[in-house]
């Protein structure tokens, strides 16, 4: 049996940042377990920037303003103690990363450059051209190498073992050998990323299948605010591949088939730099009204030409290459067809501002030894809609805080154990596919699921379609129970992993849908055509979904309105 | 819907069997080689294994050989790889052991970054500033191309030196070392240049074949970085090494006599340090063969070029020195344009 003091699952920004913090104490044995090599983690795909009120490009910025923008951007479902920490701790985190060697773009005077971003009132986005996530992921990996932190690379976590509200460790699968191992740990941290892969059009990597979220759910932990999924306004038409919001930050226009900058009808104060949920809905409304572009009419144009060739080349090289490589258009000369694309998971595993997973019930009971940070967690710092550049920031700020909490607490945690019986569910899950004789194709079920979720639980939602969505997902779950795979081998069996990931997608998709059916209001990323306004009287609260035998059981919990260093911002009408 | 045939190098580790398999794929215009490989996996044969994740050329997972040359499957449009109705050939990366089908063991590639110590070494005993280090914008613009590496291994896969020398650091690790040599926040520029010049597999072992620059899916220009490291090393006085001596003896000989002097080249390259005698002894078998074929005798006669010939060579040397200047200026002026021009 393998054993560590601390086991971190996931090697993106949150996981690596936490590992660095824990490894500062050489007496603690910490390891990272990840299904892809750390440098392949999806944090690296973030493009436009990371927010911090450094004030380098403007004198008019402060952590309070950052906090306020975050709360308003999240349509007031944000826990304000968390938003306060995000704003206050952002600058020191950026400077720390800069001291580690991060390749940030610079101003003429040598300070870190900052640009504008949607929903932020000041130029607050620190960036590395338009590959900011890549620069951050790289620098954190360099630091891990320097410290020699143990990494289980290409290991897949199958099951989280929790007994009497205390985490015991994990059961994991070695992708290279096909072996199943129990790994005991006094502290387990999940930094396993988001769940956008369940939508047909998405920016997310193939790896973003909500594994950690579902493992926690199966272990009896409720999932929070899962119905809140962010659709990014500028995915490349067809594939949904992300074109950075930095393009609009630098001055790109959004234009409909009539050549009109339609954002003046939706957010005249901010135009293209309104928060993402508002821009994505504006686009979808234009498309639904028949003012879409291209043959299919399923997209609008993003026009980068106002930015100018020189600045596009310097500040947006990735956007330029993506458009050329994937749709064969040159943004220096052509407008680019874009469409809303599933991008970010606001919901996830409920935890406090130090990453401690909590049930958020009446006693707010902690799960001893279990922590979470980053996109898989729900602190909740983004509420109903995340602002651009706040995700990298969340991963770093709360990854660091979680690492520190673990470092301080792990010595007081009792030794743990995993029994043969507790390994059984994971062993059975693998066995069902390796030895099973089902008939349904995993690939076909996944394609159907992604269509169903996109078409019936997408940018706009409505009761009838959501009910259909739920019944479709249940049918797909039934088909999945009879599914089969081709590869029965033990070495690098990607067919098996695809199947297990699909099981996860089917499980959390049901939670998203049930949460969306119940929430009869529109708030942030959750937009109901049949309930078009926000209803604070009834719905100023977080959703918590527990796993019952016949599906998710929903309860609700209060939004935190108790920041420590200032008054809370009361809910107000959200206009831009 | 267009149809495309693919011929894929398969390897089944269970019974150590390597074979080729052909698939035919109907694809939508705009779909990539990776999309087609996934259509094969999900609709035709689930036993095909490959690595992939982001599908937009930033995670570096899906570098494979496409018609014999390394590149990202996700970044390659099908018509760009198709040739006159022939199948597109897909194989695993080179210079690494195959685990299964298109999956290779990338440990050897990744280890090179540790050997090159590619992380920032801050100034010891010196507190960092309260805010950020000031970093000259021109400095950042000069080396930032090398920071765009996605560690996909395409350069290493096509590297002609890594093919014969497993100790070669390889283009990616050297380009990354360059990025730290040039970063003003790093305290160990001199030590890095000395280590990279001295070590087996360092900057002097590149043969300048350009394969890495062509394979790189980003703007890293690994070979340029290696050449710049050589210049930096010489400028920093790191010249007491085989590579520099060889470089100087080669160029100096040609500039002086108008031809390569193969008799003195190994002597001058070996230098006069403690390693020189074993090194010279190592050359003996080759020297004997050259003697036998009369090559060394001819060299020993030191046939020089004519006076006019030598003048012409001098002029060429001056021109090249001037070109080098233009080359640097061009790269800074055009950045990614330059990278693209080199790739195409």
């Amino acid at each position: 049996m393998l054993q560590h003091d601390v086991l971190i699952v996931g090697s993106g920004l949150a996981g690596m940042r936490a590992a660095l913090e824990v490894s500062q104490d050489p007496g603690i044995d910490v390891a990272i377990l990840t299904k892809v090599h750390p440098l392949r983690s999806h944090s690296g795909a973030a493009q436009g920037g990371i927010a911090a009120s450094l004030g380098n490009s403007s004198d008019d910025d402060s952590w309070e303003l950052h906090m306020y923008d975050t709360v308003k951007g999240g349509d007031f479902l944000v826990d304000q103690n968390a938003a306060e920490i995000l704003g206050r701790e952002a600058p020191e985190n950026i400077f720390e990363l800069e001291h580690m060697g991060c390749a940030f773009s610079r101003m003429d005077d040598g300070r870190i450059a900052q640009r504008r971003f949607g929903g932020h009132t000041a130029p607050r986005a620190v960036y590395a051209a338009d590959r900011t996530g890549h620069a951050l992921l790289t620098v954190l990996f360099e630091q891990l190498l320097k410290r020699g932190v143990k990494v289980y690379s290409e290991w897949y976590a199958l099951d989280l073992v929790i007994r009497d509200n205390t985490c015991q460790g994990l059961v994991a699968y070695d992708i290279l050998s096909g072996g199943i191992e129990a790994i005991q740990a006094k502290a387990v941290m999940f930094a396993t990323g988001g769940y956008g892969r369940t939508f047909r059009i998405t920016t997310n990597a193939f790896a973003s299948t909500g594994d950690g979220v579902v493992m926690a759910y199966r272990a009896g932990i409720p999932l929070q605010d899962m119905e809140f999924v962010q659709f990014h306004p500028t995915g490349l038409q067809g594939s949904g591949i992300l074109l950075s919001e930095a393009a609009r930050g630098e001055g790109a226009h959004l234009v409909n088939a009539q050549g009109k900058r339609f954002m003046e009808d939706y957010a005249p104060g901010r135009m293209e730099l309104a928060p993402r949920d508002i821009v994505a809905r504006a686009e979808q409304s234009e498309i639904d009204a028949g003012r879409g572009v291209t043959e299919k009419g399923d997209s609008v144009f993003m026009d980068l030409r106002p930015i100018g060739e020189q600045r596009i080349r310097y500040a947006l090289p990735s956007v330029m290459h993506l458009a050329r490589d994937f749709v064969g258009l040159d943004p220096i000369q052509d407008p680019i067809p874009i469409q809303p694309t599933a991008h970010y998971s606001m919901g996830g595993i409920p935890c406090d501002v130090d990453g401690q997973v909590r049930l958020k019930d009446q006693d707010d009971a902690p799960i001893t030894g279990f922590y979470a940070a980053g996109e898989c967690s729900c602190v909740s710092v983004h509420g109903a809609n995340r602002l651009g550049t706040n995700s990298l920031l969340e991963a770093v700020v709360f990854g660091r805080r979680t690492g520190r909490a673990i470092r301080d607490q792990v010595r007081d945690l009792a030794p743990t154990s995993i029994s043969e019986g507790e390994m059984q569910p994971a062993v059975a899950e693998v066995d069902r596919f390796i030895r099973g004789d089902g008939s349904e194709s995993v690939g076909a079920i996944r394609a159907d699921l992604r269509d169903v979720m996109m078409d019936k639980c997408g940018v706009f939602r409505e009761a009838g379609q959501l009910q259909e969505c739920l019944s479709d997902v249940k049918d797909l779950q039934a088909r999945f129970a009879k599914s089969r795979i081709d590869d029965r081998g033990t070495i690098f069996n990607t067919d098996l992993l695809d199947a297990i990931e699909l099981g996860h997608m089917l499980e959390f998709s049901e939670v998203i849908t049930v949460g969306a059916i119940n929430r009869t209001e529109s708030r942030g990323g959750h937009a109901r055509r049949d309930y078009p306004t926000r209803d604070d009287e009834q719905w100023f609260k977080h959703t918590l979904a527990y796993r019952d035998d016949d599906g998710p059981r929903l309860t609700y919990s209060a939004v935190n309105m108790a920041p420590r260093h200032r008054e809370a911002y009361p809910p107000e009408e959200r206009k831009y | 819907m267009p149809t495309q045939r693919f011929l894929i190098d398969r390897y089944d580790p269970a019974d150590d069997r390597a074979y080729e398999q052909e698939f035919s794929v109907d694809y939508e215009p705009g779909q990539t080689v990776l999309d087609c490989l996934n259509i094969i996996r999900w609709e035709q044969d689930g036993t095909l294994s490959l690595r992939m994740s982001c599908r937009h050329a930033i995670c570096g997972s899906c570098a494979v050989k496409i018609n014999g040359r390394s590149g990202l499957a996700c970044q390659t449009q099908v018509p760009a790889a198709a040739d006159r109705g022939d199948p597109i050939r897909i194989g695993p990366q080179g210079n690494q052991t195959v685990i299964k089908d298109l999956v290779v063991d990338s440990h050897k590639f990744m280890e090179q970054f540790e050997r090159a110590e590619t992380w920032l070494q801050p100034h010891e005993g010196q507190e960092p500033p309260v805010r950020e280090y000031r970093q000259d914008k021109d400095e950042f613009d000069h080396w930032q191309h090398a920071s765009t590496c996605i560690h996909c291994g395409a350069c290493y896969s096509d590297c002609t030196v890594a093919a014969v020398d497993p100790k070669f650091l390889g283009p990616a690790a050297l380009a990354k070392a360059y990025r730290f040599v040039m970063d003003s926040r790093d305290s160990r520029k001199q030590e890095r240049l000395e280590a990279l010049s001295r070590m087996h597999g360092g900057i002097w072992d590149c043969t300048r074949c350009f394969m890495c620059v062509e394979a790189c899916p980003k703007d890293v220009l690994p070979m340029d970085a290696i050449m710049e490291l050589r210049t930096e090393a010489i400028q920093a006085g790191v010249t007491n090494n085989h590579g520099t001596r060889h470089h100087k003896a080669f160029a100096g000989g040609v500039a002086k006599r108008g031809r390569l002097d193969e008799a003195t080249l190994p002597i001058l390259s070996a230098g006069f340090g403690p390693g020189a005698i074993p090194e010279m002894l190592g050359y003996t078998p080759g020297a004997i063969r050259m003697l036998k074929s009369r090559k060394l005798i001819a060299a020993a006669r030191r046939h020089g070029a004519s006076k006019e010939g030598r003048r012409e060579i001098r002029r060429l040397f001056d021109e090249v020195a001037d070109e080098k200047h233009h080359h640097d200026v061009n790269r800074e002026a055009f950045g990614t344009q330059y990278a693209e021009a080199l790739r195409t």
Side-chain angles (χ1 to χ4, degrees), chain B residues 53-102:
Chain B
S53 193
C54 76
R55 88 208 190 284
H56 64 271
I58 193 69
C59 79
S61 302
C62 69
V64 291
K65 285 209 169 180
I66 302 165
N67 296 327
R69 300 296 281 273
S70 297
L72 299 178
C74 73
Q75 200 185 23
T76 308
Q77 294 287 327
V78 176
D83 188 20
R84 294 188 305 273
D86 288 343
I88 296 174
R89 292 200 64 115
I90 304 290
Q93 287 188 36
N95 296 335
Q96 292 148 96
T97 313
V98 179
I99 292 172
K100 179 171 187 269
D101 296 334
L102 303 175

Side-chain angles (χ1 to χ4, degrees), chain B residues 24-58:
Chain B
S24 182
V25 179
D26 297 331
Y27 70 98
E28 306 245 10
Q31 286 194 304
T32 64
V33 167
L34 179 63
D35 290 325
C36 291
L37 292 173
N38 279 328
I39 291 170
I40 292 169
R41 293 177 58 233
W42 295 334
E43 295 174 14
Q44 301 182 27
D45 183 353
T47 67
L48 177 67
S49 290
L50 75 150
R51 290 192 180 100
M52 53 156 192
S53 193
C54 76
R55 88 208 190 284
H56 64 271
I58 193 69

Side-chain angles (χ1 to χ4, degrees), chain A residues 23-103:
Chain A
S23 73
Q24 303 231 330
D25 183 340
I28 301 175
D29 168 19
V30 56
I32 292 180
L33 183 140
T34 164
K35 67 177 178 177
V36 295
H37 184 281
L39 288 168
R40 315 288 180 225
S41 305
H42 194 50
S43 300
Q47 296 174 8
I50 175 167
S53 57
L54 307 185
N56 283 3
S57 293
S58 150
D59 292 334
D60 302 322
D61 204 5
S62 65
W63 69 260
E64 285 100 333
L65 205 50
H66 186 181
M67 174 186 171
Y68 171 73
D69 288 343
T70 300
V71 170
K72 183 179 173 188
D75 222 345
F76 295 89
L77 196 68
V78 172
D79 280 350
Q80 298 208 12
N81 59 337
E84 178 184 45
I85 286 169
L86 191 80
R88 280 175 62 90
E89 295 186 5
E92 67 192 68
N93 272 276
I94 298 300
F95 295 138
E96 215 171 50
L97 292 160
E98 197 275 340
H99 297 161
M100 289 178 195
C102 190

